[in-house]
Amino acid sequence: MIQHRHKTVSVNVGGVTVGGGAPIVVQSMTNTDTADVDSTVRQVAALAAAGSEIVRVTVDRDEAAAAVPKIKERLLKIGVTVPIVGDFHYIGHKLLTDHPGCAEALDKYRINPGNVGFKNKRDPQFTQIVEMAIKHGKPVRIGVNWGSLDQELLTRLMDENTLSPNPKDAREVTHEAMVQSALLSAARAEEIGLPKNRIILSCKVSAVQDLIACYSELARRCDYALHLGLTEAGMGSKGIVASSAAMGVLLQQGIGDTIRISLTPEPNGDRTLEVKVAQELLQTMGLRTFVPLVAACPGCGRTTSTTFQELAADVQNFIRTSMPEWKKQYPGVETLNVAVMGCIVNGPGESKHADIGISLPGTGEQPTAPVFVDGKKVATLRGATLTDDFKTMVVDYIAKRFGPSARAAE
């Protein structure tokens, strides 16, 4: 298990602890029109069911702000208690003031110091939002973004760099502007009266090395709780790889208290994919455990049959679908390890290392599939019912190992 070396202040977000050594929290964000209460409730509920522990919604106009209390009420009625964060840009000060029901219903406010206000309006509008957070007892994420960075601050630092005897690369100066924007805004929020244990910082960029540079420096210079995210990461495998590469490096260094994988969804795609990827990143790094792991071989010339691929997919989907109910019945089930292997080379060995595993026949091998439980061969499956038979064995194993009788014996 990776030990977090970057100790941060603990922040309570609607009952979820962020920072202070707590487990890293998975976040997501809706892409519905928040003013559309029905659609937003459905998507928040789906994200929460997938495992998102905090969900952010856009609050961009009066209609959206007015809908927030209704969304919160509807979610609570159906038993969804996930904390809701309001994402504010440009007019957050006005929306929070004009819609006190929204200000109260939200569990956290997210503001961007790059567009909270411009020139002489910046500080009064920033102050107004912070004062609303203080009034309603809410934490605030001060989220700096590469694409909307405070241009006055960036220009000043660029000018100073030009006059320096040892000028830095423009990209380095931009990194410094990102970090300074977050830290100066946090200091101002504390000056206004918002305590440190209600402040979370983020410095989001869209390139892997920039993200690593910004957060490494931010972590070195503060102990605020930090939210990690590669913004505009992209679609499909590109977004998954980029986000995992950037955040993997930082998490390995002990940096980051909450994360979001910002994937561009495919047309009509599943929004919950970003939650699954975030969970898989944390689980594969050994930082959290969410669902049982299914190990499966990649396939080769020995496995020309697609049987093991179909079984692996079927078992993995079966486990993920069953997890909400299993978690209630079988505490600790998320630590289960399952193996679905495709031939005799590594199949039996991998299956023995798993809690329960099956080694399917490869090309030219006997049409039998030995099943191993806790390292010992317990059965041989074959025929058309093989998949259902194996899933039944998985369920039986879970009941025996994580059920009431197993707990009573401990």
Side-chain angles (χ1 to χ4, degrees), residues 11-18 23 25 53-54 81-83:
V11 180
N12 185 314
V13 181
V16 173
T17 301
V18 175
V25 174
E53 293 158 310
I54 296 176
T81 58
V82 65

Side-chain angles (χ1 to χ4, degrees), residues 60-369:
D60 57 347
R61 63 193 195 282
D62 288 306
E63 292 82 359
V68 167
K70 300 173 187 175
I71 292 167
K72 187 78 171 181
E73 183 181 1
R74 287 265 300 277
L75 287 167
L76 291 175
K77 278 185 178 179
I78 60 175
V80 178
T81 58
V82 65
I84 304 298
V85 179
D87 194 54
F88 295 97
H89 297 276
Y90 305 107
I91 58 170
H93 62 291
K94 183 177 185 301
L95 293 175
L96 286 167
T97 302
D98 293 350
H99 298 274
C102 171
E104 181 56 39
L106 291 170
D107 295 287
K108 184 177 77 174
Y109 311 153
R110 186 268 177 159
I111 57 177
N112 183 340
N115 59 33
V116 72
F118 301 98
K119 298 189 181 298
N120 61 344
K121 293 182 179 180
R122 183 193 314 273
D123 189 64
Q125 292 178 184
F126 179 84
T127 299
Q128 195 172 340
I129 294 177
V130 172
E131 287 177 342
M132 289 297 291
I134 294 169
K135 177 181 177 180
H136 293 279
K138 309 296 182 179
V140 172
R141 172 157 72 91
I142 297 171
V144 180
N145 195 294
W146 184 271
S148 51
L149 182 58
D150 180 345
Q151 291 303 299
E152 290 182 34
L153 173 62
L154 178 60
T155 299
R156 177 171 62 78
L157 291 179
M158 286 292 187
D159 290 343
E160 291 174 0
N161 185 61
T162 300
L163 298 174
S164 170
N166 298 300
K168 298 178 181 177
D169 177 85
R171 210 168 191 87
E172 290 182 75
V173 179
T174 306
H175 295 164
E176 176 63 20
M178 295 278 293
V179 172
Q180 280 200 30
S181 180
L183 294 177
L184 290 171
S185 298
R188 177 61 183 137
E190 285 197 66
E191 189 178 283
I192 295 165
L194 188 68
K196 180 174 277 191
N197 67 354
R198 285 198 208 146
I199 298 173
I200 297 173
L201 300 184
S202 64
C203 283
K204 289 192 171 184
V205 298
S206 57
V208 170
Q209 295 300 334
D210 292 323
L211 192 83
I212 294 168
C214 286
Y215 274 96
S216 297
E217 185 62 16
L218 184 62
R220 189 182 70 82
R221 287 157 64 172
C222 78
D223 62 353
Y224 292 105
L226 301 180
H227 169 70
L228 298 188
L230 189 74
T231 191
E232 290 97 35
M235 184 181 285
S237 60
K238 185 268 180 185
I240 293 172
V241 171
S243 292
S244 300
M247 283 189 268
V249 170
L250 292 166
L251 292 168
Q252 184 70 26
Q253 295 173 359
I255 297 171
D257 302 291
T258 172
I259 69 170
R260 180 194 172 203
I261 303 289
S262 301
L263 295 180
T264 303
E266 302 283 348
N268 301 312
D270 184 359
R271 188 67 170 179
T272 63
L273 177 61
E274 66 176 48
V275 179
K276 296 171 187 173
V277 173
Q279 289 181 327
E280 287 169 3
L281 172 61
L282 293 177
Q283 185 155 340
T284 54
M285 292 191 69
L287 292 166
R288 293 279 306 269
T289 304
F290 297 98
V291 296
L293 288 174
V294 179
C297 69
C300 66
R302 288 177 173 270
T303 55
T304 53
S305 167
T306 61
T307 304
F308 87 96
Q309 298 165 334
E310 292 160 0
L311 178 59
D314 196 341
V315 169
Q316 190 155 291
N317 291 335
F318 172 66
I319 287 173
R320 187 171 282 278
T321 303
S322 303
M323 274 305 289
E325 191 58 37
W326 283 353
K327 276 191 173 182
K328 296 175 189 174
Q329 295 184 54
Y330 307 118
V333 67
E334 62 274 10
T335 63
L336 179 73
N337 285 305
V338 181
V340 178
M341 305 304 292
C343 81
I344 201 170
V345 174
N346 293 315
E350 286 286 350
S351 297
K352 288 177 183 176
H353 287 304
D355 296 318
I356 179 168
I358 185 169
S359 178
L360 293 168
T363 305
E365 295 175 8
Q366 291 296 314
T368 60

Side-chain angles (χ1 to χ4, degrees), residues 380-396:
T380 299
L381 302 180
R382 55 172 63 82
T385 63
L386 185 149
T387 296
D388 289 337
D389 292 343
F390 182 66
K391 287 194 289 187
T392 297
M393 292 186 72
V394 170
V395 173
D396 289 344

